[in-house]
Amino acid sequence: MDISYPVTIAAARTWFKLGDIKINMTGAEHIPEKGGALLAINHLSFVDYVMAGFPGAERGRLTRFIAKKEVFDHPVGGPVMRSFHHIPIDRSYGAAGMKKAVEYLQNGEIVGIFPEATISRSFLIKDLKTGTVRIAAEAGVPLVPVVLWGTQRIMTKGQKVDLSRHKTIGIEIGPPLPVTGEDPAAETAALKSQMETMLDRLIKAHPAEEQPPGSWWLPKAYGGSAPTLEEAEAMYVEERRLRAQRKAAKRKS
């Protein structure tokens, strides 16, 4: 039974209306009305779960997201995630989460995954994990690329939350990619290439007045001031080092 999920979708639609958030979406027909499918989504912000669930909702489907186990351990977020029947995955041991995702897909569910595994601080497509194509191949379901643009302006790493009105969110759903799992690296490269092409289209089609030159939410390659992929990776490495340092100090205390 899904009780809280439809209520949350209705609340999100109200937010879009009251906040004058314009959703420019194309390709929703690529999400099947029946049967399992794995959505591979780029990761820009903390509200991507809401926005990436919108295409499925428009097709009458609920999307079950794969999320890091720490979210499920949170005293508030955990019960909410479980009520939505999302799928926890332990980043140090992902086999159990991948198995659960395959089960969901084979049972006809729409599952969403962020193959970059973390928010891209450059707002470009990071290197993708091969687990995405391996899950789709094992489950025998379509792998559907979904690319978002604009969600980083609302709530992302290192920036203040901005709930001001009059924003545009771009969403493009691409045609399913054929995957067999025989060459996960090559199939993952093809997925990344497709997502990069889709992201380029979204950025170029976005209202110019919402991304003036120098904007922090715009990649440098498009005239903004966001970190490059290399700079963002260095930031991510430092975050991991500090996180490991905190964990070590906690174990000692």
Side-chain angles (χ1 to χ4, degrees):
M1 290 290 292
D2 284 287
I3 299 174
S4 57
Y5 206 158
V7 171
T8 302
I9 290 173
R13 292 185 190 278
T14 301
W15 171 37
F16 298 161
K17 184 175 181 180
L18 295 178
D20 189 27
I21 296 175
K22 183 179 180 181
I23 307 292
N24 286 340
M25 182 170 68
T26 60
E29 69 275 6
H30 296 306
I31 296 178
E33 292 182 320
K34 294 181 179 179
L38 182 62
L39 310 184
I41 310 150
N42 69 319
H43 206 358
L44 301 171
S45 78
F46 296 110
V47 298
D48 290 343
Y49 292 94
V50 177
M51 300 304 180
F54 185 71
E58 290 292 279
R59 298 283 283 172
R61 307 293 304 272
L62 297 177
T63 303
R64 315 299 181 178
F65 287 97
I66 298 173
K68 61 183 180 180
K69 177 180 176 292
E70 291 85 345
V71 178
F72 291 81
D73 293 336
H74 191 276
V76 177
V80 173
M81 296 292 279
R82 284 187 285 274
S83 74
F84 291 173
H85 303 291
H86 292 330
I87 305 166
I89 190 163
D90 189 330
R91 286 191 285 193
S92 60
Y93 179 71
M98 291 177 65
K99 181 179 179 182
K100 179 63 67 174
V102 170
E103 291 176 2
Y104 271 50
L105 290 164
Q106 291 179 335
N107 287 333
E109 296 278 6
I110 298 289
V111 173
I113 187 171
F114 297 96
E116 295 166 291
T118 188
I119 288 174
S120 172
R121 299 185 72 155
S122 71
F123 310 124
L124 297 172
I125 307 296
K126 288 168 50 68
D127 287 339
L128 310 184
K129 306 296 184 182
T130 60
T132 299
V133 298
R134 289 188 282 119
I135 289 171
E138 184 175 347
V141 299
L143 175 59
V144 181
V146 177
V147 174
L148 310 173
W149 181 249
T151 61
Q152 72 275 28
R153 293 183 61 198
I154 300 171
M155 186 189 303
T156 193
K157 279 186 178 181
Q159 300 291 337
K160 293 181 179 179
V161 176
D162 181 2
L163 297 178
S164 59
R165 303 175 73 239
H166 316 304
K167 291 184 177 68
T168 302
I169 303 298
I171 307 175
E172 181 175 338
I173 304 96
L177 295 176
V179 292
T180 64
E182 294 177 2
D183 190 343
E187 291 178 337
T188 299
L191 172 62
K192 182 182 180 185
S193 177
Q194 179 62 27
M195 294 177 74
E196 287 174 333
T197 298
M198 294 163 64
L199 180 62
D200 179 68
R201 274 197 295 265
L202 285 177
I203 295 174
K204 289 177 178 177
H206 205 78
E209 62 272 17
E210 292 191 24
Q211 45 189 33
S215 300
W216 65 260
W217 56 84
L218 191 61
K220 284 186 177 178
Y222 294 87
S225 58
T228 63
L229 278 166
E230 293 76 18
E231 291 167 343
E233 180 59 25
M235 294 167 70
Y236 180 54
V237 169
E238 178 63 10
E239 286 175 6
R240 286 186 295 179
R241 186 189 70 80
L242 292 174
R243 186 163 56 240
Q245 191 177 68
R246 287 193 296 268
K247 287 182 178 180
K250 188 176 181 180
R251 285 195 296 268
K252 290 180 180 179
S253 61

